[in-house]
Amino acid sequence: MNSHWQRQRQPDDVPTPVAVAVSDYCRRAKSPATPTEVREALALLAESEDFRVRTLTDTEPEATPLGPFAVVDVLKGTAPALAAVRQGSGYYEVVQELARVREEKRPPAPPPAPEVPSFATPAVPAPVPARREASEKSRGETVQARIAPRKRTTPEPLPPELDEAGEAPSFLKRDLPKPRGRFTRLDAPKTSFQELTRASGRETLEASIEAHEHRFALLKSLEGQYNGARGDLTLSELEGALRAQGLMEAMETRERTAILAAFTEHRGASGRVGWALGLSPSELKQLEAKAGISQEVEELRERFRREALTTRHLTQRLDLLGRDKYLADLGIKKRFTDLLRRELEVLVRDELPAATTLSELAEAVARKHRAPSELVLRALERLGVAEELRKRTPDGSRHSTP
C-alpha cells in the first residue's frame, strides 16, 4: 500500500478530457465521484500514463463498484475484482488520506526569483569611434607628433530622431477612467414581477425551475430581469408568482430531491451541502422547513453520526480523525476523539514493552491492525498521548533523565 500511492503531479495539472473520461467510467462502474476526487486520484499517475487511462476508460468496467482510486489501482496491475472489493471496504478512502498526508510532508519547492518589470525605454548606446581610421592616420606621423599632447575633439551631435527618443516618457500610459455621461453603459430596464403571474410568465418560470435546484437560486436568476413592488424582487413575491402559476409543488419536489441527495452524498455535513447548493446556513435551514424535510435531514445526519462512532475498522477511524470540520459539523467531535483516545491507549498497552521509540510503537500497532503507520503516529500526536508514551519508551526515558 505504501509503494505507489505518491503524487506524481498536481491535481490541477491533470488534463480535463482525461478527468472527464475517468468520471464517466466511474459512473458506469456504479461509483460516481466528484471532480476533486477524480483529479486527486489521477495526480498519482504520471503524464505519460494518460494514454493508458484513456484505453481503460474506453472499455466497459469488468467489475463494480470502481472509483477513481480503484481505476489507478487497476492501472498499477491490480485485478478489477480485487479493486472492487477494496472499493466496497473503504480501502481507497484511506489511500486518499494517505496521499494527502504525504503531500503535506513533502518539502515545498523553492519559490522562483521574482521578475521585476522594467518600464524604462532602453538606453541608446553611444557611438564607438572607429580605431581603424586613427591607425591609418598615425602611419604618416612622426614619432615627435605621436608623443605630443593632443586636444580633445567635441563629440558629434546625435541624430534628431535619437535625441527625441531619449526624451520620450519612460513609463507606460496609465489606464483611463470608465466613460461617463452619454457614453455610460446602462443595464436593460427591468419588468414588473406581475408579468410572472400572467399566462405568458408560466413558460418563463417552468424553464427557470428546470435550470435551478432551489428557489434562492431562482430568485438570483430572476431579480436581474424583474422588479418587485418596492424595489428589488423579494422571495415572498417570487413564491406568490409560483403559487399563482401552480408551480410551487414542482419547486418543492425539486428542492426536496436536491437537498436529500446532497446530504447523502456529503454524509450529513450541512456545511458541505450548503456550499454545494450555494446556500448560507440560514437559507439551508429555511429551505428545509419550507420543503418539510427537517425531520428527514436530521435522521440522515443521525445515521452518519452512528456510523462515525461505531465503525469497526481502525483505518477508517484514523481517517475521520483528520476531518475536524466534518466531525464538528455533525456535533460529535469531542465524543469521537475521546473514544478513539481510549481505544488507542488500550492498543498500545500490549506493544509498549517491546518498542524502543514512539515510531516503532506506532508501526507495531499499525502492523497488528493493518493500518498505515503514518496515520497511527499522527493520531497519537493529535490526541495528546504521544508525549506521555515517548517518556515511557526506553529511548524517551533515557533522554528525559537528567
Side-chain angles (χ1 to χ4, degrees), residues 143-397:
V143 177
Q144 189 67 24
R146 290 181 185 179
I147 64 176
R150 301 193 180 192
K151 296 181 180 180
R152 294 184 179 180
T153 57
T154 56
E156 297 181 0
L158 294 174
E161 53 272 10
L162 294 179
D163 194 13
E164 292 175 1
E167 297 179 359
S170 58
F171 294 95
L172 298 178
K173 187 177 181 180
R174 65 183 180 86
D175 295 333
L176 296 176
K178 295 181 179 181
R180 306 178 190 175
R182 59 177 180 172
F183 300 103
T184 306
R185 294 183 180 181
L186 301 177
D187 296 332
K190 297 182 181 180
T191 311
S192 173
F193 80 101
Q194 296 295 339
E195 293 292 330
L196 297 174
T197 61
R198 298 188 174 93
S200 58
R202 181 180 178 85
E203 184 177 353
T204 302
L205 287 175
E206 287 178 345
S208 299
I209 290 175
E210 289 296 326
H212 300 88
E213 294 180 315
H214 50 81
R215 66 192 71 186
F216 288 100
L218 181 62
L219 176 64
K220 291 179 182 178
S221 172
L222 295 178
E223 66 183 1
Q225 307 173 32
Y226 297 92
N227 265 331
R230 298 182 179 180
D232 294 336
L233 181 65
T234 62
L235 183 61
S236 59
E237 291 169 341
L238 175 61
E239 292 172 345
L242 291 173
R243 292 190 185 93
Q245 298 290 359
L247 298 175
M248 179 56 75
E249 185 177 354
M251 185 78 258
E252 290 178 349
T253 303
R254 188 170 179 82
E255 291 170 344
R256 190 179 301 109
T257 303
I259 293 175
L260 293 179
F263 268 101
T264 303
E265 178 184 357
H266 297 287
R267 306 185 65 81
S270 58
R272 293 186 180 183
V273 171
W275 177 82
L277 297 178
L279 294 168
S280 65
S282 59
E283 290 174 343
L284 180 59
K285 288 293 184 184
Q286 185 178 353
L287 208 57
E288 292 173 10
K290 288 180 178 293
I293 57 173
S294 299
Q295 184 64 28
E296 296 180 54
V297 168
E298 188 56 32
E299 291 176 358
L300 270 176
R301 285 169 58 83
E302 184 61 30
R303 189 188 88 187
F304 289 115
R305 289 191 192 103
R306 289 196 301 268
E307 286 185 8
L309 292 172
T310 60
T311 180
R312 296 182 179 180
H313 299 286
L314 177 62
T315 52
Q316 293 182 359
R317 290 196 292 275
L318 295 176
D319 176 48
L320 279 175
L321 181 63
R323 301 167 63 183
D324 294 336
K325 292 183 179 179
Y326 176 69
L327 296 174
D329 195 312
L330 292 180
I332 59 172
K333 182 178 178 180
K334 188 176 185 307
R335 291 167 57 192
F336 180 84
T337 53
D338 291 344
L339 287 173
L340 185 58
R341 183 185 295 107
R342 288 195 294 268
E343 181 182 2
L344 285 178
E345 289 175 352
V346 174
L347 294 180
V348 301
R349 189 179 302 160
D350 299 334
E351 309 297 334
L352 187 59
T356 58
T357 63
L358 184 62
S359 299
E360 290 184 6
L361 180 62
E363 289 178 4
V365 173
R367 193 182 309 111
K368 184 176 180 180
H369 298 276
R370 298 179 181 179
S373 59
E374 296 176 359
L375 295 184
V376 175
L377 184 59
R378 187 187 68 171
L380 295 176
E381 296 281 357
R382 182 168 292 185
L383 294 174
V385 298
E387 189 63 29
E388 180 64 25
L389 292 174
R390 191 177 285 111
K391 292 179 181 179
R392 294 168 63 182
T393 56
D395 285 1
S397 59

Side-chain angles (χ1 to χ4, degrees), residues 7-153:
R7 279 190 182 177
Q8 305 297 325
R9 54 182 169 177
Q10 293 300 319
D12 293 339
D13 297 337
V14 175
T16 301
V18 178
V20 172
V22 172
S23 179
D24 180 67
Y25 183 84
C26 295
R27 179 187 58 79
R28 288 185 281 123
K30 299 180 181 180
S31 182
T34 62
T36 303
E37 294 176 354
V38 172
R39 289 185 176 273
E40 286 185 358
L42 291 176
L44 301 174
L45 298 174
E47 184 179 358
S48 58
E49 295 182 290
D50 286 344
F51 77 96
R52 297 181 57 223
V53 177
R54 296 304 300 267
T55 303
L56 177 64
T57 55
D58 290 343
T59 61
E60 288 299 321
E62 298 181 12
T64 58
L66 291 176
F69 286 89
V71 172
V72 174
D73 206 5
V74 171
L75 292 173
K76 294 292 185 179
T78 304
L82 178 58
V85 174
R86 290 179 175 181
Q87 181 71 36
S89 65
Y91 175 86
Y92 296 114
E93 295 179 2
V94 180
V95 166
Q96 184 178 6
E97 180 64 21
L98 183 60
R100 290 177 181 171
V101 171
R102 288 184 173 177
E103 185 64 20
E104 291 174 0
K105 290 186 176 181
R106 179 183 297 180
E115 297 181 1
V116 180
S118 175
F119 299 97
T121 55
V124 180
V128 180
R131 296 185 177 180
R132 186 175 180 180
E133 298 178 358
S135 61
E136 291 179 355
K137 291 180 180 180
S138 63
R139 288 178 184 175
E141 296 178 348
T142 62
V143 177
Q144 189 67 24
R146 290 181 185 179
I147 64 176
R150 301 193 180 192
K151 296 181 180 180
R152 294 184 179 180
T153 57

